[in-house]
């Protein structure tokens, strides 16, 4: 029950985060048009409506991924909680088989959706650089890119939550190894630790395990690309 309460709190927090991001997207779209006198009211309303709808679709997709990944994290946490209880090592082996089977099944069902989010994240960064090159580096033009920046941040947040599933699984063997057992079960405990390590459970995208380091490296590379593009546009 404690894990369920934790999951509910995390879901409510994630929902609040995505609602705030959507409000920021709509607010940034309105703010970017407020200082442009050449835009007619009809065009401004149309622009804000399209931005809000497209942002809502992408954010709902990202939030759905985040909510499912939160449930997977709670499942791994529940397994870790049972290791500290009175469950036998043989039962833990069967429990881990069930847990990793669920993780792989969910990953296979969601890998296409997560790949779409990764593609949106990868394409949004060069799109922002191209927009800066076309619009220029003035403050009024940069404001028009804020909705894309907020949506990109939401997608990155969803990817970090998905990678947290793999990070949770990586820490499980250390927890199992810390369980105090009698001398007759030391070999069985080591066998379980080796089995969990070799299973390499986590969140997979087309047989590639998504980790936090991958997301951080991806973000680092694209930040360098954006910084280089902005500096080149500003210098020209």
């Amino acid at each position: 029950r404690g894990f369920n309460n934790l999951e509910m709190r995390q879901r409510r927090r994630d929902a609040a985060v995505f609602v705030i991001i959507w409000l920021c997207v709509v607010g940034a779209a309105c703010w970017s048009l407020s200082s442009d006198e050449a835009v007619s009211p009809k065009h401004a309303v149309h622009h804000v409506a399209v931005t809000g709808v497209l942002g809502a679709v992408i954010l709902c997709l990202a939030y759905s991924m985040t909510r499912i990944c939160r449930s997977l994290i709670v499942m791994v946490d529940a397994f870790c909680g049972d290791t500290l209880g009175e469950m036998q090592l043989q039962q833990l082996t069967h429990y881990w088989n069930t847990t990793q089977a669920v993780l792989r099944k969910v990953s296979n069902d969601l890998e296409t959706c997560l790949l779409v989010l990764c593609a949106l994240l990868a394409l949004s960064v060069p799109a922002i650089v191209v927009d800066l090159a076309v619009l220029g580096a003035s403050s009024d033009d940069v404001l028009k890119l804020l909705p894309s920046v907020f949506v990109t941040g939401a997608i990155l947040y969803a990817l970090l939550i998905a990678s947290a599933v793999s990070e949770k699984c990586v820490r499980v063997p250390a927890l199992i190894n810390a369980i105090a057992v009698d001398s007759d079960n030391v070999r069985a405990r080591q066998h379980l630790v080796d089995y969990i390590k070799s299973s390499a459970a986590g969140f997979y995208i087309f047989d590639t395990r998504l980790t936090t380091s991958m997301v951080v490296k991806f973000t680092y590379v694209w930040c360098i690309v954006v910084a280089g593009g902005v500096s080149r546009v500003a210098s020209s």
Side-chain angles (χ1 to χ4, degrees):
R1 184 175 179 178
F3 288 115
N4 291 331
N5 293 334
L6 176 62
E7 183 182 7
M8 291 302 297
R9 289 197 299 269
Q10 290 175 338
R11 285 181 177 181
R12 287 194 293 266
R13 184 184 64 184
D14 291 336
V17 168
F18 279 94
V19 169
I20 291 174
I21 292 176
W22 182 78
L23 292 176
C24 291
V25 169
V26 177
C30 296
W31 188 20
S32 63
L33 296 176
S34 61
S35 58
D36 194 350
E37 298 178 354
V39 179
S40 63
K42 183 178 180 179
H43 176 74
V45 171
H46 181 265
H47 174 76
V48 173
V50 171
T51 302
V53 171
L54 292 179
V57 171
I58 298 175
L59 292 177
C60 286
L61 181 61
Y63 172 69
S64 299
M65 291 293 304
T66 302
R67 183 166 181 171
I68 294 173
C69 291
R70 286 290 189 190
S71 300
L72 297 179
I73 292 174
V74 170
M75 179 181 296
V76 178
D77 288 338
F79 172 83
C80 295
D82 289 335
T83 60
L84 303 177
E86 299 179 355
M87 188 173 290
Q88 300 297 322
L89 293 177
Q90 264 189 340
Q91 294 175 317
L92 287 176
T93 302
H94 176 70
Y95 191 2
W96 181 252
N97 286 334
T98 304
T99 301
Q100 69 169 336
V102 173
L103 292 178
R104 290 306 296 263
K105 174 62 177 174
V106 174
S107 298
N108 290 334
D109 292 339
L110 298 180
E111 60 186 5
T112 303
C113 179
L114 194 59
L115 183 63
V116 170
L117 289 179
C118 292
L120 288 174
L121 181 61
L123 294 176
S124 63
V125 176
I128 292 174
V129 176
V130 171
D131 287 339
L132 284 174
V134 174
L135 296 175
S138 64
S139 58
D140 293 337
D141 293 329
V142 170
L143 289 177
K144 297 178 181 179
L145 303 179
L146 285 180
S148 300
V149 174
F150 286 125
V151 172
T152 301
I155 296 175
L156 181 62
Y157 179 77
L159 291 178
L160 287 174
I161 299 300
S163 65
V165 178
S166 301
E167 299 300 327
K168 285 281 185 179
C169 295
V170 169
R171 300 189 185 98
V172 173
L175 178 63
I176 300 294
N177 201 35
I179 298 176
V181 296
D182 51 32
S183 57
D184 297 333
N185 291 324
V186 172
R187 189 178 183 86
R189 181 187 64 182
Q190 186 60 39
H191 173 74
L192 178 59
V193 170
D194 294 337
Y195 175 71
I196 293 176
K197 285 183 179 180
S198 62
S199 65
F203 198 95
Y204 281 78
I205 305 178
F206 295 101
D207 294 330
T208 301
R209 185 165 65 170
L210 181 65
T211 61
T212 304
S213 62
M214 293 174 59
V215 179
V216 172
K217 290 177 182 178
F218 179 85
T219 306
Y220 178 73
V221 170
W222 281 120
C223 284
I224 294 178
V225 173
V226 172
V230 172
S231 62
R232 185 168 183 177
V233 170
S235 61
S236 60

